[in-house]
Amino acid sequence: MSERAPEQVATTYREAVRAGLREALQREPRAFLMGEDIGRYGGCYAVTKGMLDEFGPERIRDTPLSESGFVGAGIGAAMAGMRPIVEVMTCNFSLLCLDQILNNAATIRHMSGGQFSVPIVIRMATGAGRQLAAQHSHSLEGWYAHIPGIRVLAPATLEDGRGMLWTAMNDPDPVLIFENIMLYNMGGTIDAAAGAVDIDRAVVRRPGRDVSLLTYGGSLWKTLEAAATLKEQGIDAEVIDLRTLRPLDDATIMESVRKTRRAVIVDEGWRSGSISAEIATRIVEQAFWSLDAPITRVCTEEVPIPYPKHLEDAALPSREKIEAAVRKVVGR
Amino acid sequence: MSATPDVKPRLSREHSLSLLRQMLRIRRFEEKCAELYTQEKIRGFLHLYIGEEAIAAGVMAALSPEDAIIATYREHGHALASGISMNAVMAEMYGKQEGSSRGRGGSMHIFNAAARFFGGNAIVGGGLPPAVGLGLGYKMQGLPHLAVCFFGEGAVAEGEFHESLNLAALWKAPVLFVCENNLYAMGTALQISESETEIHQKASSYRIKSESVDGMDVVAVEAAARRAVAFVRQGQGPYFLECKTYRFRAHSMFDAQLYRKKEEVEAWKQRDPIKRFGDWLKVIGLAHDRDFQAMESEVAAEVTASVAFAEAGTWEPVSDLLRDVYTPKGSA
Ligand SMILES: Cc1ncc(C[n+]2csc(CCOP(=O)(O)OP(=O)(O)O)c2C)c(N)n1
């Protein structure tokens, strides 16, 4: 029996997400999409382009600008037996439906004493980097990861962009998927038969001995670049892609930290009260005696994101900042 | 006993030319911005107001300098018509510290305290509640000012719209709501976003006096705005003005406009507010070709000067990144 190499196809993150959505609609008759400008306009980041023609307006539902209304309606439809996949254009606008997500989606299972589940998927774009200024550049995934009752995913790769959706849709509880805006144009190749992936585990994207770099989403690629540069300088960094921010995969994190004995967390959220703070605390709680150096964080500066490029860049985690933080932690 | 104040616009030659000049300034400024965007001098999102100039020009002509203004991310026209210098607006588009918001806001967030311009707000519907509060605050202090809030018809679907109208009506807050109904919210046409497409009717359900006006006719807009302002200033509560208009350009610079027909755009261009008013002034003999030529060259000079000003402007040092997150102690 000869193993044939799986066929690889060129794609982009945007297309990979679309492929995941199409598969969901093709295979699950109860699935439907709704959101602002997903149909006629083709999606604000063109993710759903062409899907209205393929699936029709019943299943690709353009909504008015009513985030609270249609996310709440998605929650209801989920309880009625459908499998709604709701697109909120960006996490910036998800603040208008925060009430529905937190007070309904996340709590109904518990409040009802386990009688009702809410199998809804809510996708949204996140992140800064396009000079969209203070109201359009938030990274709120860490914030959402504070909430019990929901799962929070941050697909960073083509495989996860495509494969997390199916698993999320089949989860009985609300799942939020955060797609970093800087990833949509990212190209690469993917296994033509790529399909569902797990949404439970963090993954080692680059093995190393000297320091663990813990990150997710758009920051993964900056971190991998930094790790490559550091390697040339003799520092062997391990890069962990968290993939799921709630629940965190403590086992993979601790295994890495116990091995390298040093941790740097890279997170596009603001530093105070961020997911990076949660991760650092868990390392202290669970792996304190393995540490050889203080845990360090590279986060977004505590300022609303400014419009000019040089100031936006200065506010965000960068490859250079990651490298500097790592050099400090390893003392080189 | 409220005597009907004189609310008709006085169409002297001088006033007519000032209305025309205001619209032309906005048009030529934005045409330049579109060019600068392709040269990457202006970045981020750029939403052009071209086609809708009669509304900003007409409404501003009816206001007093102390009145507060809140607009959306499509606010260059309102900013210019409210008296903010073209230099300051252009420098803001560049992100230079000589800009009206010190470069921090960019195209979507023009602010100016002297002009009582409380910003371009880039969250749809986000400007309405603060406008109610501005009006309420003035009223509670016995001040005669009012707050004017500009927003698109897309915002009407948001809960914040309904909450704001209700509050303003309940509290008789001195607020002029100006809905710029350009028929599309990004790619979503009015008839698929609203069950009641006569927007001004919605105001009646909150017992707010309202009217609908041809937003392509600057004189009609000014006349309606004068009626509205007089009503609000007499302490009779809020007023709702729907201006029917059309955006000639794409929603932003990333819009392929798949949702509307070229013929429709062309038909609306026949009603170009600048051409229409200019032609009419000629017909009634209030202005002549030489006036238009003089005006064009004045405006061109102003635009050229604003570009030079922005080009000569300076970048804020990165060391200032964290300023203006909080108000310095003792300064307010
Ligand atoms: C709460 C919120 N949801 C979505 C968006 C994305 N968005 C920006 S402008 C826009 C369309 C708004 O249309 P309308 O209110 O009619 O104003 P127009 O752009 O036509 O001037 C959308 C959907 C946003 N900025 N805020």
Side-chain angles (χ1 to χ4, degrees):
Chain A
M1 261 192 1
S2 70
E3 282 258 332
R4 249 203 281 140
E7 188 200 342
Q8 296 284 309
V9 288
T11 190
T12 61
Y13 185 88
R14 172 182 291 108
E15 288 166 3
V17 175
R18 186 185 305 139
L21 292 168
R22 289 185 58 221
E23 187 187 11
L25 265 62
Q26 284 158 357
R27 288 176 56 192
E28 171 52 85
R30 296 174 300 170
F32 69 99
L33 265 51
M34 62 176 159
E36 292 160 10
D37 287 307
I38 63 169
R40 289 163 189 83
Y41 190 86
C44 69
Y45 286 100
V47 170
T48 51
K49 201 168 175 182
M51 290 185 68
L52 176 64
D53 289 341
E54 185 175 357
F55 297 102
E58 273 291 302
R59 297 185 78 198
I60 306 291
R61 301 184 87 88
D62 272 324
T63 65
L65 278 132
S66 310
E67 289 83 3
S68 189
F70 66 78
V71 168
I75 292 168
M79 292 194 292
M82 297 299 286
R83 287 293 176 271
I85 302 168
V86 181
E87 175 176 304
V88 177
M89 281 185 170
T90 74
C91 72
N92 309 289
F93 317 140
S94 78
L95 298 177
L96 280 79
C97 50
L98 185 55
D99 172 57
Q100 289 298 327
I101 296 174
L102 175 47
N103 281 324
N104 281 339
T107 59
I108 282 175
R109 172 80 193 166
H110 184 79
M111 288 192 297
S112 69
Q115 296 178 80
F116 299 110
S117 293
V118 183
I120 187 176
V121 175
I122 304 173
R123 294 175 43 245
M124 49 185 113
T126 187
R130 291 192 175 273
Q131 287 191 256
L132 302 183
Q135 293 183 331
H136 274 64
S137 301
H138 297 311
S139 292
L140 299 179
E141 52 277 5
W143 244 45
Y144 280 101
H146 179 64
I147 304 172
I150 59 177
R151 274 176 177 274
V152 176
L153 313 184
T157 62
L158 300 176
E159 287 75 12
D160 282 352
R162 174 159 173 179
M164 278 183 162
L165 183 83
W166 180 261
T167 319
M169 189 183 66
N170 286 290
D171 193 282
D173 295 313
V175 182
L176 271 53
I177 305 181
F178 289 86
E179 298 160 10
N180 188 287
I181 57 166
M182 302 307 282
L183 295 179
Y184 284 124
N185 290 332
M186 178 179 77
T189 60
I190 187 170
D191 187 336
V197 296
D198 81 275
I199 55 171
D200 301 308
R201 280 179 323 207
V203 162
V204 178
R205 296 283 179 211
R206 176 194 172 102
R209 287 174 290 115
D210 297 334
V211 56
S212 299
L213 309 188
L214 309 165
T215 188
Y216 67 91
S219 301
L220 172 66
W221 303 99
K222 295 178 190 174
T223 308
L224 284 167
E225 283 172 25
T229 313
L230 290 162
K231 179 78 180 177
E232 290 162 17
Q233 299 162 6
I235 299 172
D236 187 17
E238 177 149 300
V239 178
I240 306 271
D241 176 4
L242 297 166
R243 298 180 69 245
T244 296
L245 302 185
R246 185 179 189 103
L248 281 168
D249 175 6
D250 289 2
T252 303
I253 296 170
M254 301 314 152
E255 192 186 325
S256 175
V257 173
R258 287 199 183 95
K259 179 177 76 176
T260 65
R261 310 179 76 84
R262 291 175 170 85
V264 174
I265 306 161
V266 184
D267 173 16
E268 203 178 308
W270 290 298
R271 174 181 305 253
S272 299
S274 63
I275 189 77
S276 68
E278 175 63 26
I279 295 165
T281 306
R282 289 185 187 211
I283 295 172
V284 169
E285 287 168 343
Q286 299 174 43
F288 180 76
W289 303 108
S290 305
L291 290 175
D292 281 348
I295 301 165
T296 298
R297 292 186 279 160
V298 181
C299 300
T300 291
E301 301 294 336
E302 304 211 74
V303 57
I305 305 297
Y307 161 67
K309 172 136 178 56
H310 67 297
L311 294 180
E312 179 178 46
D313 286 347
L316 299 175
S318 64
R319 212 191 57 194
E320 293 77 14
K321 287 187 194 174
I322 300 167
E323 289 170 21
V326 169
R327 277 195 294 268
K328 206 163 160 211
V329 164
V330 299
R332 273 185 258 165
Chain B
M1 48 141 245
S2 63
T4 313
D6 180 11
V7 293
K8 289 221 180 72
R10 268 170 294 271
L11 275 184
S12 63
R13 175 178 145 85
E14 194 192 341
H15 184 62
S16 303
L17 288 178
S18 88
L19 285 174
L20 188 66
R21 181 179 301 108
Q22 205 59 276
M23 293 195 288
L24 196 68
R25 288 176 74 230
I26 300 169
R27 177 73 55 93
R28 298 293 177 249
F29 174 85
E30 287 204 326
E31 286 167 351
K32 190 60 171 182
C33 288
E35 211 179 298
L36 292 165
Y37 194 85
T38 59
Q39 295 168 22
E40 305 196 350
K41 297 282 188 183
I42 298 172
R43 310 301 306 268
F45 282 148
L46 178 68
H47 306 90
L48 301 179
Y49 192 56
I50 290 175
E52 308 185 29
E53 296 93 337
I55 304 170
V59 172
M60 296 300 171
L63 300 181
S64 305
E66 295 286 282
D67 294 334
I69 300 151
I70 294 192
T72 69
Y73 44 85
R74 198 181 300 289
E75 90 286 29
H76 316 138
H78 312 83
L80 292 172
S82 78
I84 308 175
S85 79
M86 194 179 283
N87 284 356
V89 179
M90 187 60 94
E92 190 58 37
M93 309 293 290
Y94 272 64
K96 298 286 181 80
Q97 55 183 337
E98 291 76 8
S100 60
S101 309
R102 297 188 57 262
R104 295 286 175 134
S107 158
M108 300 197 288
H109 305 299
I110 295 164
F111 283 78
N112 187 272
R116 321 285 309 152
F117 200 85
F118 288 84
N121 190 304
I123 303 299
V124 172
L128 281 98
V132 174
L134 280 162
L136 177 69
Y138 293 149
K139 181 178 166 177
M140 290 174 76
Q141 295 170 83
L143 296 167
H145 321 323
L146 51 97
V148 185
C149 184
F150 295 89
F151 51 93
E153 85 295 339
V156 171
E158 295 281 12
E160 289 184 330
F161 169 88
H162 297 273
E163 296 174 24
S164 300
L165 262 61
N166 187 44
L167 285 176
L170 272 176
W171 294 339
K172 284 199 174 234
V175 182
L176 170 56
F177 295 101
V178 182
C179 179
E180 302 179 314
N181 179 1
N182 62 15
L183 299 175
Y184 293 90
M186 276 179 74
T188 302
L190 177 61
Q191 56 286 9
I192 54 173
S193 71
E194 288 297 326
S195 55
E196 169 58 81
T197 52
E198 290 299 323
I199 301 287
H200 67 103
Q201 296 275 3
K202 295 177 190 282
S204 326
S205 68
Y206 294 101
R207 304 198 170 196
I208 293 178
K209 196 165 161 57
S210 72
E211 64 180 293
S212 181
V213 65
D214 178 359
M216 309 305 269
D217 177 348
V218 68
V219 177
V221 172
E222 186 188 342
R226 285 186 180 278
R227 281 191 293 277
V229 166
F231 178 90
V232 176
R233 247 197 259 285
Q234 282 172 345
Q236 301 194 62
Y239 198 101
F240 190 98
L241 197 58
E242 175 192 0
C243 302
K244 296 198 163 157
T245 185
Y246 201 78
R247 80 174 140 67
F248 292 174
R249 300 291 186 102
H251 167 74
S252 71
M253 306 304 274
F254 302 104
D255 169 11
Q257 303 189 63
L258 304 171
Y259 50 84
R260 63 183 191 181
K261 295 212 165 67
K262 286 215 171 62
E263 301 81 70
E264 182 184 293
V265 182
E266 287 313 312
W268 275 92
K269 282 186 179 167
Q270 299 308 309
R271 301 176 54 193
D272 185 320
I274 298 178
K275 173 147 193 333
R276 190 165 154 196
F277 188 51
D279 287 351
W280 184 73
L281 289 179
K282 257 194 338 199
V283 168
I284 61 166
L286 264 186
H288 311 283
D289 281 335
R290 61 176 180 279
D291 296 313
F292 301 143
Q293 285 151 11
M295 191 182 289
E296 281 284 5
S297 54
E298 278 165 35
V299 169
E302 191 185 7
V303 172
T304 306
S306 75
V307 174
F309 179 81
E311 287 285 342
T314 52
W315 300 113
E316 198 174 4
V318 171
S319 55
D320 277 358
L321 177 63
L322 300 183
R323 76 172 271 175
D324 291 331
V325 179
Y326 297 98
T327 310
K329 287 218 166 55
S331 78

